[in-house]
Amino acid sequence: MFGRQPKEENSPENVEIPDIMFPSEAELEDSSQDDTELSKVSKKEQPSTFKENPEIVTIVEKISGIVSPYFIVVVGLILSDDNFLLGLLLIAVGILALLKISLTDIVGLFIEIKDGLTSED
Protein backbone atom coordinates (compact mmCIF):
# COMPACT_ATOMS: atom_id res chain seq x y z
CA MET A 1 0.00 0.00 0.00
CA PHE A 2 2.64 2.52 1.01
CA GLY A 3 5.64 0.86 -0.63
CA ARG A 4 6.96 1.55 -4.07
CA GLN A 5 5.97 -0.62 -6.92
CA PRO A 6 8.90 -2.32 -8.63
CA LYS A 7 10.00 -0.63 -11.81
CA GLU A 8 9.97 -2.58 -14.98
CA GLU A 9 13.55 -3.44 -15.80
CA ASN A 10 14.75 -3.44 -19.37
CA SER A 11 15.92 -6.88 -20.15
CA PRO A 12 19.43 -7.08 -21.61
CA GLU A 13 18.10 -9.24 -24.44
CA ASN A 14 16.19 -6.31 -25.99
CA VAL A 15 19.11 -3.88 -26.09
CA GLU A 16 20.43 -3.35 -29.58
CA ILE A 17 24.10 -2.50 -29.96
CA PRO A 18 24.85 -0.52 -33.13
CA ASP A 19 27.61 -1.70 -35.40
CA ILE A 20 30.36 0.90 -35.34
CA MET A 21 33.08 0.77 -37.94
CA PHE A 22 36.27 2.51 -36.85
CA PRO A 23 38.60 3.80 -39.57
CA SER A 24 41.81 1.93 -40.15
CA GLU A 25 45.22 3.49 -39.44
CA ALA A 26 45.89 4.01 -43.14
CA GLU A 27 42.67 5.98 -43.53
CA LEU A 28 43.57 8.13 -40.54
CA GLU A 29 46.99 8.95 -42.00
CA ASP A 30 45.45 9.83 -45.35
CA SER A 31 42.87 12.11 -43.76
CA SER A 32 45.52 13.87 -41.64
CA GLN A 33 47.68 14.54 -44.69
CA ASP A 34 44.73 15.79 -46.74
CA ASP A 35 44.87 19.59 -46.91
CA THR A 36 41.33 20.61 -47.67
CA GLU A 37 40.05 24.15 -47.64
CA LEU A 38 38.40 23.63 -44.26
CA SER A 39 41.62 22.49 -42.61
CA LYS A 40 43.51 25.44 -44.11
CA VAL A 41 40.91 27.89 -42.78
CA SER A 42 40.95 26.33 -39.31
CA LYS A 43 44.78 26.47 -39.23
CA LYS A 44 44.68 30.18 -40.11
CA GLU A 45 42.11 30.97 -37.40
CA GLN A 46 43.92 29.25 -34.52
CA PRO A 47 46.83 31.68 -34.04
CA SER A 48 44.53 34.70 -33.95
CA THR A 49 42.45 33.25 -31.10
CA PHE A 50 45.58 32.42 -29.13
CA LYS A 51 46.86 35.97 -29.55
CA GLU A 52 43.63 37.57 -28.32
CA ASN A 53 43.17 35.35 -25.28
CA PRO A 54 46.33 36.33 -23.34
CA GLU A 55 45.52 40.01 -23.83
CA ILE A 56 42.10 39.48 -22.27
CA VAL A 57 43.63 37.52 -19.40
CA THR A 58 46.17 40.23 -18.65
CA ILE A 59 43.49 42.93 -18.71
CA VAL A 60 41.29 40.95 -16.31
CA GLU A 61 44.27 40.35 -14.01
CA LYS A 62 45.04 44.08 -13.93
CA ILE A 63 41.43 45.00 -13.15
CA SER A 64 41.26 42.31 -10.46
CA GLY A 65 44.49 43.56 -8.90
CA ILE A 66 43.03 47.06 -8.65
CA VAL A 67 39.53 46.17 -7.44
CA SER A 68 40.22 43.33 -4.98
CA PRO A 69 41.96 45.39 -2.23
CA TYR A 70 39.05 47.83 -2.18
CA PHE A 71 36.62 44.92 -1.97
CA ILE A 72 38.57 43.44 0.96
CA VAL A 73 38.46 46.77 2.82
CA VAL A 74 34.72 47.20 2.20
CA VAL A 75 33.99 43.66 3.43
CA GLY A 76 36.16 44.36 6.48
CA LEU A 77 34.20 47.52 7.22
CA ILE A 78 30.91 45.65 6.95
CA LEU A 79 32.12 42.79 9.16
CA SER A 80 33.62 45.09 11.77
CA ASP A 81 30.13 45.67 13.23
CA ASP A 82 29.54 41.95 13.88
CA ASN A 83 33.09 40.69 14.42
CA PHE A 84 35.54 43.43 15.25
CA LEU A 85 38.69 41.29 15.11
CA LEU A 86 37.90 39.76 11.70
CA GLY A 87 36.85 43.14 10.31
CA LEU A 88 40.02 44.80 11.57
CA LEU A 89 42.13 42.01 10.06
CA LEU A 90 40.45 42.36 6.66
CA ILE A 91 40.80 46.14 6.73
CA ALA A 92 44.51 45.81 7.54
CA VAL A 93 45.06 43.25 4.77
CA GLY A 94 43.21 45.44 2.27
CA ILE A 95 45.19 48.55 3.19
CA LEU A 96 48.48 46.65 2.97
CA ALA A 97 47.44 45.36 -0.46
CA LEU A 98 46.57 48.89 -1.59
CA LEU A 99 49.96 50.15 -0.46
CA LYS A 100 51.63 47.13 -2.10
CA ILE A 101 53.36 46.09 1.11
CA SER A 102 54.32 42.42 1.12
CA LEU A 103 54.97 40.02 3.97
CA THR A 104 58.72 40.16 3.32
CA ASP A 105 58.62 43.96 3.78
CA ILE A 106 56.86 43.55 7.13
CA VAL A 107 59.33 40.88 8.30
CA GLY A 108 62.25 43.08 7.23
CA LEU A 109 60.78 46.00 9.18
CA PHE A 110 60.47 43.87 12.33
CA ILE A 111 64.07 42.69 11.94
CA GLU A 112 65.29 46.31 11.60
CA ILE A 113 63.30 47.36 14.68
CA LYS A 114 64.65 44.38 16.63
CA ASP A 115 68.24 45.17 15.61
CA GLY A 116 67.75 48.82 16.51
CA LEU A 117 66.39 48.03 19.97
CA THR A 118 69.03 45.46 20.88
CA SER A 119 72.54 46.63 21.51
CA GLU A 120 75.68 44.78 20.58
CA ASP A 121 77.47 45.62 23.85
Side-chain angles (χ1 to χ4, degrees), residues 114-121:
K114 182 181 139 186
D115 290 341
L117 294 176
T118 58
S119 62
E120 295 181 12
D121 292 341

PDB file of all heavy atoms in Angstrom, residues 114-121:
ATOM      1  N   LYS A 114      64.005  45.236  15.629  1.00  0.00           N
ATOM      2  CA  LYS A 114      64.653  44.375  16.633  1.00  0.00           C
ATOM      3  C   LYS A 114      66.143  44.691  16.738  1.00  0.00           C
ATOM      4  O   LYS A 114      66.698  44.792  17.833  1.00  0.00           O
ATOM      5  CB  LYS A 114      64.442  42.919  16.272  1.00  0.00           C
ATOM      6  CG  LYS A 114      65.028  41.937  17.251  1.00  0.00           C
ATOM      7  CD  LYS A 114      64.777  40.528  16.758  1.00  0.00           C
ATOM      8  CE  LYS A 114      66.020  39.709  17.001  1.00  0.00           C
ATOM      9  NZ  LYS A 114      65.946  38.379  16.446  1.00  0.00           N
ATOM     10  N   ASP A 115      66.816  44.846  15.594  1.00  0.00           N
ATOM     11  CA  ASP A 115      68.243  45.168  15.608  1.00  0.00           C
ATOM     12  C   ASP A 115      68.499  46.569  16.191  1.00  0.00           C
ATOM     13  O   ASP A 115      69.510  46.815  16.818  1.00  0.00           O
ATOM     14  CB  ASP A 115      68.829  45.082  14.184  1.00  0.00           C
ATOM     15  CG  ASP A 115      68.897  43.653  13.665  1.00  0.00           C
ATOM     16  OD1 ASP A 115      68.848  42.715  14.498  1.00  0.00           O
ATOM     17  OD2 ASP A 115      68.987  43.489  12.431  1.00  0.00           O
ATOM     18  N   GLY A 116      67.593  47.476  15.976  1.00  0.00           N
ATOM     19  CA  GLY A 116      67.745  48.824  16.515  1.00  0.00           C
ATOM     20  C   GLY A 116      67.549  48.866  18.011  1.00  0.00           C
ATOM     21  O   GLY A 116      68.160  49.680  18.714  1.00  0.00           O
ATOM     22  N   LEU A 117      66.657  48.034  18.542  1.00  0.00           N
ATOM     23  CA  LEU A 117      66.393  48.026  19.971  1.00  0.00           C
ATOM     24  C   LEU A 117      67.460  47.249  20.764  1.00  0.00           C
ATOM     25  O   LEU A 117      67.686  47.566  21.927  1.00  0.00           O
ATOM     26  CB  LEU A 117      65.009  47.448  20.255  1.00  0.00           C
ATOM     27  CG  LEU A 117      63.829  48.269  19.754  1.00  0.00           C
ATOM     28  CD1 LEU A 117      62.526  47.543  20.023  1.00  0.00           C
ATOM     29  CD2 LEU A 117      63.811  49.646  20.405  1.00  0.00           C
ATOM     30  N   THR A 118      68.010  46.236  20.164  1.00  0.00           N
ATOM     31  CA  THR A 118      69.027  45.460  20.876  1.00  0.00           C
ATOM     32  C   THR A 118      70.398  46.090  20.638  1.00  0.00           C
ATOM     33  O   THR A 118      70.709  46.568  19.547  1.00  0.00           O
ATOM     34  CB  THR A 118      69.046  43.999  20.394  1.00  0.00           C
ATOM     35  OG1 THR A 118      69.284  43.957  18.995  1.00  0.00           O
ATOM     36  CG2 THR A 118      67.734  43.320  20.715  1.00  0.00           C
ATOM     37  N   SER A 119      71.199  46.072  21.647  1.00  0.00           N
ATOM     38  CA  SER A 119      72.540  46.634  21.506  1.00  0.00           C
ATOM     39  C   SER A 119      73.552  45.500  21.404  1.00  0.00           C
ATOM     40  O   SER A 119      73.334  44.404  21.908  1.00  0.00           O
ATOM     41  CB  SER A 119      72.869  47.521  22.704  1.00  0.00           C
ATOM     42  OG  SER A 119      72.848  46.760  23.880  1.00  0.00           O
ATOM     43  N   GLU A 120      74.657  45.787  20.762  1.00  0.00           N
ATOM     44  CA  GLU A 120      75.681  44.776  20.576  1.00  0.00           C
ATOM     45  C   GLU A 120      76.753  44.830  21.668  1.00  0.00           C
ATOM     46  O   GLU A 120      77.819  44.264  21.538  1.00  0.00           O
ATOM     47  CB  GLU A 120      76.329  44.952  19.198  1.00  0.00           C
ATOM     48  CG  GLU A 120      75.363  44.712  18.067  1.00  0.00           C
ATOM     49  CD  GLU A 120      76.043  44.870  16.710  1.00  0.00           C
ATOM     50  OE1 GLU A 120      77.264  44.944  16.659  1.00  0.00           O
ATOM     51  OE2 GLU A 120      75.308  44.931  15.726  1.00  0.00           O
ATOM     52  N   ASP A 121      76.498  45.513  22.752  1.00  0.00           N
ATOM     53  CA  ASP A 121      77.467  45.618  23.854  1.00  0.00           C
ATOM     54  C   ASP A 121      77.668  44.306  24.561  1.00  0.00           C
ATOM     55  O   ASP A 121      76.930  43.555  24.911  1.00  0.00           O
ATOM     56  CB  ASP A 121      77.025  46.678  24.870  1.00  0.00           C
ATOM     57  CG  ASP A 121      77.111  48.051  24.234  1.00  0.00           C
ATOM     58  OD1 ASP A 121      77.808  48.201  23.228  1.00  0.00           O
ATOM     59  OD2 ASP A 121      76.458  48.969  24.766  1.00  0.00           O
TER      60      ASP A 121
END
